[in-house]
Amino acid sequence: LESEGLAALGAADSPEAVEAARIEYLGQKSGRLKAAQERLRTLEPSGKRAYGQRFNGVKQALEAALEEARTRLERRAVAADALDVTLPGSRPRLGHRHPLTQTADELIDLFGRFGFSVARGPEVEDTRHNFDALNIPPVHPARDPLDNFYLSESTMLRSQTSTVQIRVMEAQPPPVRVIAIGRVYRPDTVDATHSFMFHQVEGLMVDRGVTMADLKTVLRLFARSYLGQDVKIRFRPSFFPFTEPSVEVDMLWHGGDRWVEMGGAGMVDPNVLRAVGYDPEEVTGFAFGLGIERLCMRRHGIDDIRLLYQGDVRFLEQF
Ligand code: FA5
């Protein structure tokens, strides 16, 4: 019994085999050990002692073998689950930086080299920063509820990053040389060059003796650095309530057959300077606001702004 039991338990190779051997040898109801125990009762007292000792020895040996078989299987299961450090690794699938993020980073880098630092403002703005402080009177078509996302009478999703000009000048005395990059919102009809949410880069430089020539130089240098030495841009006279004189800046589109508006710009209106406590007799400044999507599109030859917002990895991975 002992040698057969030890052999069975020693050879058991699965939890099922161990259990079967346990039942056969150590089972409480009809195990072979149990049968041997019952035989003890039928023996003469003289033989009982020796039989009992032998019985206990066999029982302990089988129980130990059972324990060992269980431990052996458990160890093997753990080993099977364990990390095999010799296997070749699987490469994690990395995401990709969105072309607009790349553009924003490049703008920060480029304007940084021209001495502009980065300023920020909130996307949920009050109408004072979006309109009043920018010299846009209470009754002005730019405030039309159909052209803006109002959240209440006095708050809105900002429609332009020019709001940040005001926040910067309110917070610090001149000289100022900052850019602000961020989202703006307008309920425009969506087409190849218009979205209802887009990004602008705002620039503001205020100091003694800043002129329109400085503005045009900075914008030309920027356009050549970001879009290429051969890019053509043009300035058209325009109007913004917060700049005087004002211009619109166009870039010759890739393909070279049409001009697309890149942004608006001008010399900061004296009324705006006065409203933030600057003295227009002492300092002058220029400001510009450019559409980042269009810059990105011109740079990479993208023809439809909507491609930037569809989240198609096959498109995004090309940049
Ligand atoms: C402005 O927003 C002025 N704040 C710009 C400015 C700043 C003028 C500082 C003077 C001084 P405008 O509405 O033209 O201007 O918009 C500027 C640029 O944003 C446009 O030239 C265009 O490149 C981009 N843009 C305007 N609307 C959209 C739109 N719906 N989708 C994508 N880009 C747009």
Side-chain angles (χ1 to χ4, degrees):
L1 170 61
E2 182 179 19
S3 57
E4 279 176 29
L6 291 179
L9 285 164
D13 207 25
S14 67
E16 294 75 28
V18 170
E19 183 60 7
R22 184 191 70 78
I23 290 170
E24 182 178 350
Y25 292 94
L26 290 158
Q28 281 303 309
K29 278 191 196 131
S30 52
R32 287 170 64 179
L33 198 66
K34 185 81 183 165
Q37 191 180 14
E38 255 138 40
R39 208 169 311 135
L40 182 63
R41 269 192 269 132
T42 68
L43 293 178
E44 293 295 313
S46 58
K48 262 188 183 169
R49 191 180 150 85
Y51 188 92
Q53 278 176 352
R54 180 81 185 106
F55 172 84
N56 281 334
V58 173
K59 186 175 180 217
Q60 278 164 16
L62 291 179
E63 280 170 355
L66 174 66
E67 195 52 41
E68 199 200 284
R70 284 181 173 156
T71 315
R72 188 177 67 236
L73 288 181
E74 214 166 279
R75 281 218 197 91
R76 202 191 300 162
V78 171
D81 277 351
L83 181 69
D84 182 351
V85 293
T86 64
L87 283 175
S90 59
R91 196 177 288 276
R93 225 177 116 68
L94 287 182
H96 187 78
R97 274 164 78 248
H98 195 282
L100 287 176
T101 311
Q102 296 178 32
T103 302
D105 287 350
E106 277 195 56
L107 294 179
I108 290 171
D109 185 50
L110 273 175
F111 280 110
R113 284 187 237 161
F114 299 159
F116 288 76
S117 55
V118 175
R120 279 173 210 293
E123 286 175 34
V124 173
E125 252 305 359
D126 50 63
T127 48
R128 192 173 77 73
H129 285 96
N130 203 89
F131 297 127
D132 302 276
L134 288 165
N135 204 33
I136 300 174
V139 183
H140 188 279
R143 299 193 185 228
D144 194 323
L146 293 176
D147 293 333
N148 295 281
F149 289 111
Y150 282 97
L151 300 172
S152 71
E153 198 150 320
S154 59
T155 57
M156 59 188 298
L157 298 177
R158 68 179 173 195
S159 65
Q160 49 185 351
T161 45
S162 300
T163 53
V164 188
Q165 289 182 34
I166 303 303
R167 291 188 171 271
V168 169
M169 290 190 285
E170 281 173 343
Q172 67 165 86
V176 172
R177 207 190 292 194
V178 295
I179 57 164
I181 289 180
R183 290 197 180 114
V184 300
Y185 303 82
R186 291 179 197 178
D188 286 353
T189 303
V190 173
D191 63 21
T193 51
H194 290 85
S195 175
F196 47 85
M197 186 277 286
F198 58 100
H199 296 72
Q200 289 186 333
V201 53
E202 190 82 10
L204 174 68
M205 176 165 173
V206 183
D207 204 343
R208 288 175 194 276
V210 174
T211 71
M212 192 84 182
D214 298 319
L215 168 64
K216 293 177 78 172
T217 302
V218 165
L219 286 178
R220 273 192 201 289
L221 278 176
F222 158 71
R224 285 200 199 124
S225 313
Y226 183 65
L227 299 173
Q229 291 299 321
D230 55 344
V231 72
K232 293 208 164 43
I233 65 168
R234 71 178 182 191
F235 297 88
R236 279 182 292 116
S238 187
F239 176 81
F240 294 100
F242 37 95
T243 48
E244 180 60 34
S246 303
V247 289
E248 269 170 330
V249 194
D250 299 332
M251 50 191 162
L252 193 60
W253 207 232
H254 49 269
D257 54 346
R258 63 190 170 111
W259 295 91
V260 170
E261 192 189 306
M262 175 165 104
M267 299 303 293
V268 182
D269 194 289
N271 284 343
V272 173
L273 295 175
R274 246 177 254 121
V276 295
Y278 285 16
D279 182 357
E281 297 296 325
E282 210 163 284
V283 291
T284 53
F286 68 70
F288 58 82
L290 316 178
I292 290 185
E293 278 76 1
R294 294 189 190 174
L295 289 171
C296 176
M297 290 162 72
R298 171 66 179 76
R299 160 81 171 258
H300 295 294
I302 299 167
D303 269 322
D304 197 317
I305 196 170
R306 286 164 286 204
L307 289 167
L308 292 169
Y309 291 112
Q310 281 164 353
D312 187 332
V313 178
R314 292 167 303 177
F315 169 76
L316 297 174
E317 275 179 350
Q318 297 174 43
F319 307 100

